[in-house]
Structure formats: structure tokens, C-alpha cells
Amino acid sequence: AMIIADKLKLDSDLAYSMGLLHDIGRSFTEGQFKHIVCGYEYMKSLGYFDAAGICLSHSFAVQDIHSYVGAIDIGGEEQKKYQKLLQEKTYNDYDKLIQLCDAVATDTGFVLPEQRFVGLVFKYGFNSFTIQKWKAVLQLKKDFSERLNEDVNLLLQSYQK
């Protein structure tokens, strides 16, 4: 995120911070969707509303909680609350950037989004939003690649070595 932000003249420190914080909820729960809730609520409680927004949006190139790949391990009322928050959120460059980076980064390095998609399908399966979500992520990659005047994956792989 920092590399792309720097090339686009965005705040690279902010992008780096958001990239580090997007999954902070995982430190509070082993839950799947629950990590989004925990991260969002924790960052909000500290007054870091932009980071809270990233915790909420990072898994949702499609703004619907049912597009989440994995268990939605929160109750019905909580689902309604976070669905509403997500649908009302206006995505900025940092939301989109972290969504893209989350789709091309693994614990072993950068991959094509399609490689990440396959890994997630093997792990969690398909849902009715899978293809729509893939298209949305591929559109993010296209949009950022056009803004960069180079392919996102080629750029990131040049920093991987």
C-alpha cells in the first residue's frame, strides 16, 4: 500500500498504517467476520475513525456483508448494524487501496488476484457474490494500474526481491 500510495502522491505513511491496521481485529478474536467487527470497534474506541473504516471496508470490494468469504460469525442484529454501516460508507482511495492490497498480498509475498481468489475458494468455497467480488477486485487492479501507468502486480513484484 505504501509503495502504490507513494507513486500516486497519496500519503504513503497513512497507507502503510492502514495496511498494518486493517486486520487488527484478528488480535482480539479467532472469528472470521468477527475480526472486522473487533477491529472496527477497537479503532473507533481509540478515536481512529479512518482506521476503523478500513477495518470495516477491507474485505468488501462489494459493499455487502454477505460477500464476505468465510463465516459471518456475528448475530442477526449485529449483521444489520454492520451491513448498514458498510452500505453507507463512501470508499476513498485508501479503502480501495487496502482492498486491492489485501487481494494481492499473502504471508509469502505478492500474487496475482486470481491466485488469491483460487486459494480463498479452496478455503471457504463460493457464495452468490463470488464472481461479483472478483470482478470488483479486478476493476480495482485495473483502476490502480491505469493511475500508475503500470501493472500493479509487476510494480509490487519488483519490490519483492
Side-chain angles (χ1 to χ4, degrees):
M2 182 177 73
I3 294 163
I4 295 169
D6 186 57
K7 290 219 173 242
L8 293 176
K9 306 293 187 233
L10 298 171
D11 185 333
S12 59
D13 290 333
L14 180 60
Y16 178 73
S17 298
M18 296 299 178
L20 291 175
L21 293 171
H22 80 279
D23 269 343
I24 195 168
R26 292 198 187 281
S27 63
F28 302 109
T29 183
E30 291 183 19
Q32 292 181 26
F33 189 91
K34 185 80 173 165
H35 90 277
I36 293 167
V37 171
C38 289
Y40 173 81
E41 294 298 340
Y42 177 66
M43 296 311 295
K44 193 174 87 169
S45 76
L46 297 175
Y48 297 118
F49 299 104
D50 290 340
I54 293 294
C55 291
L56 177 66
S57 69
H58 76 275
S59 291
F60 299 102
V62 174
Q63 286 179 261
D64 188 307
I65 67 167
H66 298 98
S67 69
Y68 185 70
V69 293
I72 301 179
D73 49 0
I74 59 173
E77 288 306 310
E78 275 189 299
Q79 287 183 31
K80 288 177 190 173
K81 173 185 175 179
Y82 292 102
Q83 176 71 8
K84 185 175 190 299
L85 286 169
L86 188 62
Q87 286 181 327
E88 291 175 349
K89 183 167 177 42
T90 300
Y91 286 172
N92 61 32
D93 282 339
Y94 300 95
D95 292 295
K96 294 173 185 177
L97 180 57
I98 299 307
Q99 290 168 3
L100 173 63
C101 290
D102 206 30
V104 298
T106 69
D107 57 349
T108 60
F110 302 114
V111 297
L112 294 170
E114 295 87 347
Q115 290 171 288
R116 183 94 158 105
F117 298 160
V118 170
L120 291 171
V121 164
F122 278 121
K123 188 172 184 178
Y124 300 111
F126 278 82
N127 69 29
S128 63
F129 286 92
T130 299
I131 300 299
Q132 183 182 358
K133 188 169 182 175
W134 289 357
K135 286 179 180 180
V137 169
L138 292 173
Q139 187 63 52
L140 286 172
K141 181 183 178 240
K142 180 181 179 212
D143 293 345
F144 276 100
S145 293
E146 287 175 357
R147 289 173 64 185
L148 290 162
N149 291 315
E150 64 184 305
D151 183 86
V152 165
N153 285 97
L154 293 177
L155 169 66
L156 295 176
Q157 287 171 0
S158 72
Y159 283 86
Q160 190 161 284
K161 299 183 176 169

